[in-house]
Amino acid sequence: GYIGFLDPVSVSLSVLVYTHSNYLALCDLHQYISCSRVLTSRYSKGFGVIGEVMGQDHPLNQPNCIYGILYYLIYLTLDTMKQTDTVKKIKFSLSPYSALIPLL
């Protein structure tokens, strides 16, 4: 999954939505098809769990797209390293998350 390239777009969009209450994103097609609603829902930060467990102001309660960016940066870094058995095992263990992260 190279859908992670959309994560920086999600970050900038969520900043715009949070800072400008009247901002209408191009991806807001209908009240039921709205990326703004998704990016401002309680599930869009900390996977909807971290804020409930550790508090809304906890440093780990970041937008989910931040976690996606970090994941793909780690994977890209591993991809540029010498492909030792250890690196291959780490990449293999991270692979299932590439399918899950875009869904969060």
Side-chain angles (χ1 to χ4, degrees):
Y2 286 101
I3 198 162
F5 75 91
L6 292 175
D7 287 332
V9 174
S10 299
V11 171
S12 61
L13 183 59
S14 60
V15 167
L16 285 170
V17 169
Y18 277 113
T19 57
H20 299 85
S21 60
N22 294 333
Y23 180 74
L24 182 62
L26 192 59
C27 54
D28 290 341
L29 304 176
H30 189 272
Q31 72 180 37
Y32 299 113
I33 305 173
S34 169
C35 58
S36 297
R37 285 184 64 193
V38 170
L39 291 172
T40 57
S41 77
R42 71 181 191 137
Y43 301 104
S44 69
K45 290 181 78 175
F47 306 106
V49 177
I50 295 174
E52 298 293 323
V53 175
M54 299 180 177
Q56 297 299 325
D57 294 331
H58 195 277
L60 289 177
N61 194 31
Q62 298 297 318
N64 295 344
C65 43
I66 296 291
Y67 290 109
I69 290 170
L70 290 175
Y71 170 83
Y72 285 107
L73 284 175
I74 290 168
Y75 203 88
L76 182 64
T77 301
L78 289 170
D79 217 23
T80 60
M81 296 173 72
K82 183 178 178 187
Q83 299 300 301
T84 63
D85 286 340
T86 305
V87 171
K88 289 178 185 177
K89 287 178 185 177
I90 293 170
K91 285 173 55 178
F92 182 76
S93 64
L94 286 175
S95 293
Y97 297 107
S98 69
L100 295 176
I101 286 177
L103 300 176
L104 300 174

